[in-house]
Amino acid sequence: MKGGIVYKFDSYRIALEVLEFLKSIGFQAEIIENWSDAFMYDFLVVVGGDGTILKLLQFLKECPPIFGINTGKIGLLTHCEPDEYREKLRDALARFEVERFMRLESTVENQELLSLNEIAVLGARPAKLIDIEVFIDDVRVDEIRCDGILVSTQIGSTAYALSTGGPVIDPKLESILIVPVAPFKLGWKPWVVKSDKRIRIEFDREVFVVADGHKTIKTDRSPILIKKSKYYAYFFKMEDRMERIVKKLRSIR
Amino acid sequence: MKGGIVYKFDSYRIALEVLEFLKSIGFQAEIIENWSDAFMYDFLVVVGGDGTILKLLQFLKECPPIFGINTGKIGLLTHCEPDEYREKLRDALARFEVERFMRLESTVENQELLSLNEIAVLGARPAKLIDIEVFIDDVRVDEIRCDGILVSTQIGSTAYALSTGGPVIDPKLESILIVPVAPFKLGWKPWVVKSDKRIRIEFDREVFVVADGHKTIKTDRSPILIKKSKYYAYFFKMEDRMERIVKKLRSIR
Amino acid sequence: MKGGIVYKFDSYRIALEVLEFLKSIGFQAEIIENWSDAFMYDFLVVVGGDGTILKLLQFLKECPPIFGINTGKIGLLTHCEPDEYREKLRDALARFEVERFMRLESTVENQELLSLNEIAVLGARPAKLIDIEVFIDDVRVDEIRCDGILVSTQIGSTAYALSTGGPVIDPKLESILIVPVAPFKLGWKPWVVKSDKRIRIEFDREVFVVADGHKTIKTDRSPILIKKSKYYAYFFKMEDRMERIVKKLRSIR
Amino acid sequence: MKGGIVYKFDSYRIALEVLEFLKSIGFQAEIIENWSDAFMYDFLVVVGGDGTILKLLQFLKECPPIFGINTGKIGLLTHCEPDEYREKLRDALARFEVERFMRLESTVENQELLSLNEIAVLGARPAKLIDIEVFIDDVRVDEIRCDGILVSTQIGSTAYALSTGGPVIDPKLESILIVPVAPFKLGWKPWVVKSDKRIRIEFDREVFVVADGHKTIKTDRSPILIKKSKYYAYFFKMEDRMERIVKKLRSIR
């Protein structure tokens, strides 16, 4: 089995250590310079933060299981801190138990975007409201003038959607969360729907469509269609994911 | 097949009409005066609002399918308005397709409470904070000084929990919503978790524990244990439940 | 000049120390057992928390300036912690600069309630909504089904009103904050209005009217009238009140 | 006395009518094509929405009193609808009672921005958090990772700030409202402070600074200083401003 190592620009030294460590416990391993090749490995170790993992996932449709070593700020998607990776990584590889999380597939002007956390549709001009209509399985559930809207997975509920009044959703409760950014309206609600629902977002002026904060398309071509992707993201299993979320959220300054 | 009719005090006249109507289309039927007998019927027609249905459910562990005719304010659990029940009820009985929704079972001082919407744990003294600790599968997720806390089903997300900053949850997304009432704290979040989670609520002074707004226990005996009940509530199927919620919520003054 | 000392039941020892200290720096002083007599002193030292000060204020229309030594949880109204009172109290008495804060006067069934923080109007039955109408200078600004409503001063914005989605208001910005408790409604807003506005609260069932969490009247006699009182609360001046609020709010668990 | 008429591009026809009307009741009047000249008139009539008035104010330090005829969506700053302007405008000019509202002066890289509603400081890259520190009179009240922050007047509380969880503030309660846009943080609060407070906003990456949605400066030069301007905005008096806000807010779709 061959592992690939991906690192955030400031974490190269730790990546080298991980490389040596993997070899020392009997795995083939190499540092991946061209992230487009990441799909070819049997497993991936990411040295970085949630941002690094999300960026990597933009290169992966088929996704080998990921183990994350946190060198970022919060690291909800990572498995451990740099000072404890030896034991945790060895155990994870020994067990090789994985879990997978739904991603969203969004269609924007015939292009497809994949996101683990969320798709954000944001007005392209600062401080100018856009008019957004939200449809769930063709039922028009809301029309809002706002700065934008997020369509998030349960995993994304602790990412951007945390900022917008959404709930924290159990990572194991596969679901889609829909929540506006700065809605100019007295009454609105976040929606949490089953993952088999198809979401349609219509709008009246130019927007940025942003997948996981990493891939951006500028468009004025409405609508955007969003549904569960068949390409899951795979991670090494984390027993205490809920507990970890609780602790990490507390630690946000 | 024999139907039982339950009515809200102000809806007796319509209940009588429904009785005649059921007979006219070939069903046995009678008005139920003693709600404890409701479990013995093949189906139930409730003439009232959500409150009437919730009150009836307090009498039902095993639950025949319910058809609701709305004579209340909002009627999210009902199937139609009084002027359209003939066609809708006839159709429902002809198809006899039912759907079921999880209820919560709460243990308070060896007593068990069943609720379709929510269990509310509310401080017994007005304007006095209680100290509440929330555990999800033994993970302590929050400690809050507040007026109380709600543990709600997805169905209950449009009931009491709507008042407390919770999201609207897809009726088909079986889940448990946990949300405080008036938390004295800068930071908190509603939680939405899988229905197999076990919730424990601990507190430091006397509380009212209220099931669906109808059954109340006063206790200072902490903790309260809440989990998914094996007794579902059954309803005749409603195709457009999501659309109905959208419309009904809009109509709240 | 003669000082009176008021203490929370668990702070008697410190109160005795304060008594000795006041004498040692040349003031007459005594511990006040009958709080109804508190108005007769030239200044008051309270050893307790915000709750003790609020309770004391229920006995005071005319209010000598108060100096608070915090033995409670948060102590936003207090001037210092027990380990620093000697210097702070000596300074305060030497300068004798006072500041005053508006109180609200509420009329309930011909009785008058005075409150520094807020008047809470809360449904008397747990988990039962009340229908509340809010008028500002006879303009009906909202009708809400909710658990209750708070009419708060700017000082009260960091007390009960903090729990209900209200803003933090500058202690020096004399104003009235109106905010519902658990509103069953998609759209509502806290209101902040000038202190010369007259508020009228109408409701449809029995409520508790609670002044500063300490004095409670049960009534079904609508409406309640609320306006700025001519009886201010007086405190020794605190230069860094805003900074103190910031720090204290952060410290809430 | 000479009136100047300003119009939104789609309201020219009504502007012409207003011109004739003003002449017919004995006033000099002309349509203003160059808005920089607007300060020279004795009064101004704006045919447009809030946006038109806000845009006009960008041209006015010294501000003649404004009368607004609403041809926009909400029109909180306008005095009447197009079908009722004759009576209302005639009355306003006969009485010539004016009221004034504070504006904010913001200093960005030696440039000064004036705003009646708010200054918005918004991250320049979509879906990328900025790190913002807020100081009130040099007291650091919050540090937030967010999409941006609004510093608003009481008048602006029903504009952009309405979208971000701020309260509705009495138009007559001169005050400054500070509220983040999409704060990535469990705990935060809108702040309402006295109008003599000086606000300082520091940040860690490029932002757009937007005055009233109309004038935008892109900068990475922190900090931005915001204080009450000596240049008020003047309007013809509106007796029922509060009532009008209540009605207009209800009407937002």
Side-chain angles (χ1 to χ4, degrees):
Chain A
M1 282 220 305
K2 190 170 176 182
I5 302 168
V6 164
Y7 61 95
K8 196 181 161 197
F9 69 93
D10 63 1
S11 307
Y12 181 59
R13 197 185 51 72
I14 301 175
L16 283 181
E17 279 179 36
V18 171
L19 178 66
E20 290 316 303
F21 176 72
L22 284 174
K23 287 177 178 166
S24 77
I25 60 170
F27 288 91
Q28 288 185 58
E30 51 191 43
I31 287 184
I32 303 175
E33 294 303 343
N34 187 348
W35 292 15
S36 310
D37 299 337
F39 73 97
M40 294 183 300
Y41 294 80
D42 297 310
F43 64 90
L44 298 169
V45 179
V46 177
V47 187
D50 292 342
T52 320
I53 291 174
L54 294 168
K55 193 175 161 190
L56 174 61
L57 284 170
Q58 288 299 321
F59 292 85
L60 293 167
K61 277 193 163 176
E62 302 293 346
C63 172
I66 294 171
F67 184 94
I69 300 171
N70 182 35
T71 63
K73 274 183 197 148
I74 304 190
L76 277 164
L77 297 172
T78 64
H79 294 69
C80 65
E81 303 303 306
D83 59 357
E84 49 174 2
Y85 76 82
R86 279 158 222 270
E87 197 190 330
K88 300 249 171 156
L89 180 53
R90 187 200 325 249
D91 285 4
L93 289 167
R95 282 207 211 92
F96 222 90
E97 289 173 2
V98 302
E99 51 190 351
R100 63 181 199 176
F101 296 106
M102 169 182 73
R103 287 196 275 180
L104 296 174
E105 176 192 309
S106 307
T107 308
V108 188
E109 290 193 10
N110 304 321
Q111 285 178 271
E112 269 176 25
L113 289 170
L114 214 51
S115 44
L116 174 64
N117 272 346
E118 81 285 306
I119 276 287
V121 180
L122 304 168
R125 292 179 55 197
K128 282 288 175 198
L129 293 171
I130 49 173
D131 223 314
I132 280 184
E133 285 180 283
V134 182
F135 299 81
I136 300 177
D137 277 357
D138 296 323
V139 176
R140 188 169 162 285
V141 295
D142 223 337
E143 175 169 5
I144 314 190
R145 293 211 302 150
C146 53
D147 283 5
I149 200 154
L150 308 183
V151 179
S152 161
T153 64
Q154 82 277 13
I155 292 293
S157 73
T158 49
Y160 195 170
L162 187 85
S163 310
T164 54
V168 174
I169 307 178
D170 188 338
K172 291 297 189 188
L173 182 69
E174 195 176 277
S175 51
I176 299 177
L177 167 62
I178 306 164
V179 56
V181 181
F184 187 69
K185 189 172 192 171
L186 286 194
W188 60 273
K189 274 282 172 185
W191 285 79
V192 183
V193 299
K194 282 191 81 174
S195 59
D196 61 359
K197 292 279 196 281
R198 281 150 192 270
I199 314 299
R200 193 168 84 242
I201 305 292
E202 303 193 353
F203 47 92
D204 69 339
R205 59 168 72 204
E206 201 176 40
V207 296
F208 293 114
V209 184
V210 190
D212 284 349
H214 278 288
K215 196 160 182 181
T216 302
I217 296 175
K218 198 173 184 176
T219 181
D220 58 2
R221 207 98 51 85
S222 184
I224 295 164
L225 303 174
I226 302 158
K227 62 174 186 185
K228 177 177 170 173
S229 166
K230 66 181 178 190
Y231 299 106
Y232 288 81
Y234 287 81
F235 291 87
F236 282 90
K237 199 164 183 177
M238 213 187 290
E239 292 299 343
D240 55 350
R241 209 171 265 277
M242 181 82 87
E243 200 163 354
R244 198 167 164 78
I245 288 174
V246 173
K247 274 189 202 139
K248 292 270 182 186
L249 290 186
R250 288 273 161 69
S251 72
I252 301 176
R253 236 170 350 155
Chain B
M1 282 220 305
K2 190 171 176 183
I5 301 168
V6 164
Y7 61 95
K8 195 180 160 199
F9 69 92
D10 63 2
S11 305
Y12 182 60
R13 197 185 49 73
I14 301 175
L16 284 181
E17 279 179 35
V18 172
L19 178 66
E20 290 316 304
F21 176 71
L22 283 174
K23 288 178 179 167
S24 78
I25 59 171
F27 289 90
Q28 287 185 58
E30 53 192 42
I31 287 183
I32 303 175
E33 294 303 343
N34 186 349
W35 291 16
S36 310
D37 299 337
F39 73 96
M40 293 184 299
Y41 293 81
D42 297 308
F43 64 91
L44 299 168
V45 178
V46 177
V47 187
D50 291 343
T52 319
I53 291 174
L54 293 167
K55 193 175 162 191
L56 173 61
L57 283 169
Q58 288 298 322
F59 292 85
L60 291 168
K61 276 193 163 176
E62 303 292 348
C63 172
I66 294 171
F67 185 95
I69 300 170
N70 183 35
T71 63
K73 275 181 198 151
I74 304 189
L76 277 165
L77 298 172
T78 64
H79 294 69
C80 66
E81 303 303 306
D83 60 356
E84 47 175 3
Y85 77 81
R86 279 156 221 270
E87 198 190 328
K88 300 252 171 154
L89 179 53
R90 186 201 327 248
D91 285 4
L93 288 168
R95 283 208 210 89
F96 222 90
E97 289 172 2
V98 303
E99 51 190 351
R100 64 181 199 177
F101 297 106
M102 168 182 73
R103 288 195 273 180
L104 296 173
E105 177 193 307
S106 307
T107 308
V108 189
E109 290 192 10
N110 305 321
Q111 284 178 273
E112 269 175 27
L113 289 171
L114 214 51
S115 44
L116 174 64
N117 273 346
E118 83 284 308
I119 275 288
V121 180
L122 304 168
R125 292 180 55 196
K128 283 287 176 198
L129 293 170
I130 48 174
D131 223 315
I132 280 185
E133 285 180 283
V134 182
F135 299 80
I136 301 178
D137 276 358
D138 296 324
V139 177
R140 186 168 163 285
V141 295
D142 223 337
E143 175 169 4
I144 314 189
R145 294 211 300 150
C146 54
D147 282 5
I149 200 154
L150 308 183
V151 179
S152 161
T153 65
Q154 80 278 13
I155 292 293
S157 73
T158 48
Y160 196 170
L162 187 86
S163 311
T164 54
V168 174
I169 307 178
D170 188 337
K172 291 296 188 189
L173 182 70
E174 194 177 278
S175 51
I176 299 178
L177 167 62
I178 307 165
V179 56
V181 181
F184 186 69
K185 189 172 192 171
L186 285 194
W188 60 273
K189 273 283 172 184
W191 284 80
V192 183
V193 299
K194 282 191 80 174
S195 60
D196 61 359
K197 292 278 194 282
R198 281 151 193 269
I199 315 298
R200 192 168 84 243
I201 305 291
E202 303 193 353
F203 47 91
D204 69 339
R205 60 168 72 204
E206 201 175 42
V207 297
F208 292 115
V209 185
V210 189
D212 284 348
H214 277 288
K215 196 160 182 181
T216 301
I217 296 176
K218 199 174 184 175
T219 182
D220 57 5
R221 206 99 50 87
S222 185
I224 295 165
L225 304 173
I226 302 157
K227 63 175 186 183
K228 177 177 170 173
S229 166
K230 67 181 178 190
Y231 299 106
Y232 288 80
Y234 287 80
F235 291 87
F236 283 90
K237 199 165 184 176
M238 214 186 288
E239 292 300 341
D240 55 351
R241 209 171 266 276
M242 181 82 86
E243 200 164 354
R244 199 168 162 80
I245 287 175
V246 173
K247 274 190 202 139
K248 292 270 183 186
L249 290 185
R250 288 274 161 67
S251 73
I252 301 176
R253 237 169 351 150
Chain C
M1 282 220 304
K2 190 170 177 184
I5 302 168
V6 164
Y7 62 94
K8 196 181 160 195
F9 69 92
D10 64 1
S11 306
Y12 182 58
R13 198 185 50 74
I14 302 175
L16 284 180
E17 279 178 35
V18 171
L19 179 66
E20 290 315 305
F21 175 72
L22 283 175
K23 287 177 178 166
S24 77
I25 60 171
F27 288 91
Q28 288 186 59
E30 52 192 43
I31 287 183
I32 303 175
E33 294 303 343
N34 187 348
W35 292 14
S36 311
D37 298 337
F39 74 95
M40 294 184 301
Y41 293 81
D42 297 308
F43 64 91
L44 298 169
V45 179
V46 176
V47 188
D50 291 342
T52 320
I53 291 175
L54 294 168
K55 192 174 161 191
L56 173 62
L57 283 169
Q58 288 298 322
F59 292 84
L60 293 166
K61 277 194 163 175
E62 303 292 347
C63 172
I66 294 172
F67 185 94
I69 300 170
N70 183 34
T71 63
K73 274 183 197 148
I74 306 190
L76 277 165
L77 298 172
T78 65
H79 294 69
C80 66
E81 302 304 305
D83 60 357
E84 49 175 2
Y85 76 81
R86 278 156 222 270
E87 198 190 330
K88 300 252 171 157
L89 179 52
R90 187 201 326 250
D91 284 4
L93 288 168
R95 281 207 211 92
F96 222 90
E97 289 173 3
V98 302
E99 51 190 351
R100 63 181 199 176
F101 296 105
M102 169 182 74
R103 287 196 274 180
L104 296 173
E105 176 191 308
S106 306
T107 308
V108 188
E109 291 193 10
N110 304 320
Q111 285 177 272
E112 270 176 26
L113 290 170
L114 215 51
S115 44
L116 174 64
N117 272 346
E118 83 285 307
I119 275 288
V121 180
L122 304 168
R125 291 180 55 195
K128 282 286 176 198
L129 294 170
I130 49 173
D131 222 314
I132 281 184
E133 285 180 283
V134 182
F135 299 80
I136 301 177
D137 277 358
D138 296 324
V139 176
R140 187 169 163 285
V141 295
D142 224 337
E143 174 168 5
I144 314 190
R145 292 211 301 151
C146 53
D147 281 6
I149 201 154
L150 308 183
V151 180
S152 161
T153 64
Q154 81 277 13
I155 292 293
S157 73
T158 49
Y160 195 170
L162 187 86
S163 310
T164 53
V168 174
I169 307 177
D170 188 338
K172 291 297 189 188
L173 182 69
E174 194 176 278
S175 51
I176 299 176
L177 168 62
I178 307 165
V179 55
V181 181
F184 187 69
K185 190 172 190 171
L186 286 194
W188 60 273
K189 274 282 173 185
W191 285 80
V192 183
V193 300
K194 283 190 78 175
S195 60
D196 61 358
K197 292 280 195 282
R198 282 150 191 269
I199 315 298
R200 194 169 82 242
I201 305 291
E202 303 194 352
F203 47 92
D204 70 339
R205 58 168 74 202
E206 202 176 38
V207 297
F208 293 114
V209 185
V210 190
D212 285 348
H214 278 288
K215 195 160 182 181
T216 302
I217 297 175
K218 199 173 184 176
T219 181
D220 58 4
R221 206 97 53 84
S222 185
I224 295 165
L225 304 173
I226 302 159
K227 63 173 186 185
K228 177 177 171 173
S229 166
K230 66 181 178 189
Y231 298 106
Y232 288 81
Y234 287 80
F235 291 87
F236 282 91
K237 199 165 183 176
M238 213 186 289
E239 291 299 343
D240 55 351
R241 208 171 267 278
M242 181 82 85
E243 201 163 353
R244 198 168 163 79
I245 288 175
V246 173
K247 275 190 202 138
K248 293 270 181 186
L249 289 186
R250 287 274 160 68
S251 73
I252 300 176
R253 234 171 352 154
Chain D
M1 282 222 303
K2 191 171 176 183
I5 302 168
V6 164
Y7 62 94
K8 194 180 160 197
F9 69 93
D10 63 2
S11 306
Y12 182 60
R13 198 185 51 74
I14 301 175
L16 284 180
E17 279 178 36
V18 171
L19 178 66
E20 289 317 302
F21 176 72
L22 284 174
K23 287 177 178 166
S24 77
I25 61 171
F27 288 91
Q28 289 185 58
E30 51 192 42
I31 287 184
I32 302 175
E33 294 304 342
N34 186 347
W35 291 16
S36 310
D37 299 337
F39 74 96
M40 293 184 301
Y41 293 80
D42 297 308
F43 63 91
L44 298 168
V45 178
V46 177
V47 188
D50 291 343
T52 320
I53 292 174
L54 294 168
K55 193 175 162 191
L56 174 61
L57 284 169
Q58 288 298 322
F59 292 84
L60 292 167
K61 277 193 163 175
E62 303 292 348
C63 172
I66 294 171
F67 184 94
I69 300 170
N70 182 35
T71 64
K73 275 183 199 148
I74 305 189
L76 277 164
L77 298 171
T78 64
H79 294 69
C80 65
E81 303 303 306
D83 60 357
E84 49 175 1
Y85 77 82
R86 278 155 221 273
E87 198 189 330
K88 300 253 171 154
L89 180 53
R90 187 201 325 249
D91 284 4
L93 289 167
R95 283 206 210 92
F96 221 90
E97 290 173 0
V98 302
E99 51 190 350
R100 63 181 199 176
F101 296 106
M102 170 181 73
R103 286 195 275 179
L104 296 174
E105 177 192 307
S106 307
T107 308
V108 189
E109 292 193 9
N110 304 320
Q111 284 178 273
E112 270 175 26
L113 289 171
L114 215 51
S115 45
L116 174 64
N117 272 346
E118 82 284 309
I119 276 288
V121 180
L122 303 169
R125 291 180 56 196
K128 282 287 175 197
L129 293 170
I130 49 174
D131 222 314
I132 280 184
E133 286 180 283
V134 182
F135 299 80
I136 301 177
D137 276 358
D138 296 323
V139 176
R140 187 168 163 285
V141 294
D142 223 337
E143 175 169 4
I144 314 190
R145 293 211 300 150
C146 54
D147 282 5
I149 200 154
L150 308 183
V151 180
S152 161
T153 64
Q154 80 278 13
I155 292 294
S157 73
T158 48
Y160 196 171
L162 187 85
S163 310
T164 55
V168 174
I169 307 178
D170 188 336
K172 291 297 189 188
L173 182 70
E174 195 177 277
S175 51
I176 299 177
L177 167 63
I178 306 165
V179 56
V181 181
F184 186 69
K185 190 174 193 169
L186 286 193
W188 59 273
K189 273 284 173 183
W191 285 79
V192 183
V193 299
K194 282 190 81 174
S195 60
D196 60 359
K197 292 280 195 279
R198 281 151 192 270
I199 315 298
R200 193 169 84 241
I201 305 292
E202 303 193 352
F203 47 91
D204 70 339
R205 58 168 72 204
E206 202 175 41
V207 297
F208 293 114
V209 185
V210 190
D212 284 349
H214 278 287
K215 197 161 183 180
T216 302
I217 296 175
K218 199 174 185 175
T219 183
D220 57 5
R221 207 97 52 85
S222 184
I224 295 164
L225 303 173
I226 302 158
K227 63 175 187 183
K228 177 177 170 173
S229 165
K230 66 182 178 190
Y231 299 106
Y232 288 80
Y234 287 80
F235 291 86
F236 282 89
K237 200 165 184 176
M238 215 185 287
E239 292 300 342
D240 55 351
R241 210 171 265 277
M242 181 84 85
E243 199 164 353
R244 198 167 163 79
I245 287 175
V246 173
K247 274 190 203 140
K248 292 272 182 184
L249 290 186
R250 288 274 161 68
S251 74
I252 300 176
R253 233 170 355 150

